[in-house]
Amino acid sequence: MALIQIIEDEPAQVELLSYNLEAEGFKIRQAMDGEEGLLQVQEDPPDLIILDWMLPEVPGVEVCRRLKAQSETKKIPIIMLTARGEEDDRVRGLNTGADDYIVKPFSVSEVVARVHALLRRTSAVLEEEVITYQDLSLNTEQHRVTRAGRHIKLSPTEYRLLLVLLAKPGKVWTREQLLDRVWGRDIFVDDRTVDVHIGRLRATLNKKEDKDLIRTVRGAGYSLDGEA
Ligand code: CA
């Protein structure tokens, strides 16, 4: 379930976008100004960002520039919203690294189509990817996981959990973030579920002689971290 971050200060626009993107099965998070948007994205990177040009606090173009300058956030696709007649701004928007732009007033179906197109482009790259971390390797196309060359059999849930952890080694994920990413918000599961599945993932990944790659951070959550 892809998470889309909307950074826009006009409630009517936010509501229109949220309503229609949720209907498409996306998860939506909103920020009403540039500063809040930056914080939310850095705290928990979304799959795509819809960013308005005109924003209080930090302007949209600056939000875009900052996100594209940081290695943790630069690959997140950004769609910039601009008002009609801001042609120069539009160009400047793209110069700052926005992946696409849409001129207001927009048709909702156009936004939805662009979102799908951008996500397809990004996930096409991801599909062929082999993600490695230390002696761990995950092939996203074959759904195969190996550790030091040894094949590891995971349940679909443990596989998704590992995929999330591998996306950001070292990042401490709260149980809530993991629930959100692995199970989705609509399914009722509690924090304990995360602990149970982390336990199973650990048991499957680690043979006696192996280093434990999952770090438990007391009062916070879990992290893929073999340095600890
Ligand atoms: Ca605005």
Side-chain angles (χ1 to χ4, degrees):
M1 204 186 311
L3 171 65
I4 297 178
Q5 170 87 56
I6 298 173
I7 310 177
E8 159 70 290
D9 59 320
E10 292 150 71
Q13 298 272 345
V14 175
E15 202 176 319
L16 183 68
L17 288 169
S18 303
Y19 177 80
N20 286 279
L21 289 166
E22 270 169 1
E24 292 287 309
F26 295 113
K27 218 143 57 68
I28 306 299
R29 191 173 60 200
Q30 312 162 3
M32 299 297 277
D33 65 61
E35 198 172 347
E36 191 192 353
L38 276 169
L39 284 173
Q40 288 184 2
V41 170
Q42 283 156 352
E43 163 82 19
D44 182 19
D47 299 288
L48 183 141
I49 299 166
I50 297 177
L51 175 63
D52 189 42
W53 173 262
M54 295 290 280
L55 284 176
E57 306 302 331
V58 185
V61 68
E62 178 62 16
V63 172
C64 185
R65 201 191 58 74
R66 286 196 210 167
L67 292 175
K68 291 297 181 185
Q70 290 164 353
S71 59
E72 305 80 38
T73 51
K74 72 176 175 197
K75 285 191 183 146
I76 305 170
I78 297 179
I79 297 176
M80 186 81 97
L81 303 177
T82 69
R84 195 174 288 286
E86 290 177 330
E87 256 70 28
D88 283 349
D89 289 351
R90 208 195 286 179
V91 173
R92 276 166 64 198
L94 286 175
N95 281 348
T96 59
D99 299 85
D100 202 354
Y101 65 86
I102 292 172
V103 180
K104 284 180 181 176
F106 49 75
S107 86
V108 168
S109 57
E110 188 189 356
V111 176
V112 170
R114 302 271 192 104
V115 166
H116 279 299
L118 260 181
L119 285 174
R120 259 200 309 278
R121 211 197 292 166
T122 344
S123 66
V125 179
L126 281 176
E127 264 168 28
E128 299 165 358
E129 212 178 12
V130 175
I131 308 165
T132 58
Y133 179 71
Q134 299 202 351
D135 56 359
L136 198 63
S137 166
L138 183 150
N139 183 312
T140 59
E141 203 167 45
Q142 303 167 355
H143 280 229
R144 272 178 83 91
V145 178
T146 60
R147 178 148 193 206
R150 165 170 57 89
H151 177 59
I152 288 168
K153 227 175 153 241
L154 295 176
S155 74
T157 304
E158 271 93 67
Y159 176 84
R160 284 200 302 276
L161 190 53
L162 181 61
L163 198 56
V164 171
L165 293 172
L166 271 169
K168 294 204 89 188
K171 174 187 161 67
V172 177
W173 296 86
T174 64
R175 287 173 178 80
E176 194 186 42
Q177 286 170 340
L178 291 173
L179 278 177
D180 230 32
R181 292 299 177 92
V182 178
W183 285 267
R185 231 170 231 172
D186 300 334
I187 300 165
F188 180 77
V189 278
D190 64 12
D191 288 7
R192 268 286 296 152
T193 310
V194 177
D195 298 336
V196 167
H197 285 274
I198 285 278
R200 285 188 199 153
L201 180 61
R202 233 185 203 136
T204 320
L205 286 183
N206 303 334
K207 285 261 186 277
K208 257 182 209 149
E209 67 276 15
D210 289 334
K211 188 158 57 165
D212 188 0
L213 295 178
I214 299 171
R215 182 161 71 101
T216 304
V217 185
R218 235 168 244 295
Y222 298 101
S223 160
L224 186 73
D225 190 351
E227 313 299 332

